[in-house]
Amino acid sequence: MEMILNEDDMVVGARFENGTIQDYIDKNNNYGLLRVEDTTCNWFLFNKVESEDEIQKLYEEVTKKEHFIQNDFGEEIVIFNKNGDISFEELAKKIDEYLGDELGNFI
């Protein structure tokens, strides 16, 4: 994965062989966008105890519609607004890969 940096050299996304991932695409910086081949989805991280009120509200809204949640030891990867044929599980793997690479670059 090739990390995408902003003007302050902070990681804000990544490019990979068959797609891209962005941390935030909405004006409130609540959720991101993942594109893999012809499939797109929105995503965010959620923690019931630590997430801010806006994220708590987004979580409530999203979980009323089609969505996917992968619980990684209390922090959840929430995927919603999926369009395309790639499974939620495969999309979650891409997000996991990105988060692992981002953490590795931070350390």
Side-chain angles (χ1 to χ4, degrees):
M1 265 188 201
E2 175 189 343
M3 295 299 162
I4 299 170
L5 306 176
N6 67 9
E7 60 276 355
D8 298 320
D9 290 333
M10 294 182 68
V11 175
V12 294
R15 288 182 199 88
F16 45 91
E17 182 179 332
N18 56 351
T20 59
I21 188 168
Q22 295 170 268
D23 288 343
Y24 303 112
I25 62 162
D26 69 314
K27 65 179 179 167
N28 296 323
N29 292 337
N30 289 330
Y31 60 87
L33 174 69
L34 174 61
R35 291 185 183 110
V36 180
E37 297 171 5
D38 64 345
T39 300
T40 62
C41 67
N42 295 116
W43 70 280
F44 64 95
L45 297 177
F46 178 78
N47 181 297
K48 181 67 176 164
V49 175
E50 297 177 7
S51 291
E52 296 180 17
D53 289 343
E54 280 189 35
I55 299 293
Q56 298 276 353
K57 289 177 188 174
L58 178 61
Y59 185 87
E60 285 181 34
E61 290 174 23
V62 164
T63 55
K64 292 176 184 175
K65 304 173 187 171
E66 182 182 19
H67 67 282
F68 175 83
I69 297 174
Q70 177 176 300
N71 191 330
D72 289 340
F73 309 105
E75 184 156 67
E76 298 175 357
I77 296 173
V78 182
I79 301 172
F80 63 107
N81 290 343
K82 182 176 92 68
N83 292 304
D85 296 328
I86 296 176
S87 71
F88 278 114
E89 292 82 5
E90 287 300 312
L91 296 169
K93 286 179 188 176
K94 275 295 181 194
I95 295 168
D96 267 341
E97 182 181 325
Y98 167 66
L99 294 173
D101 282 355
E102 185 178 15
L103 182 59
N105 284 338
F106 179 72
I107 295 172

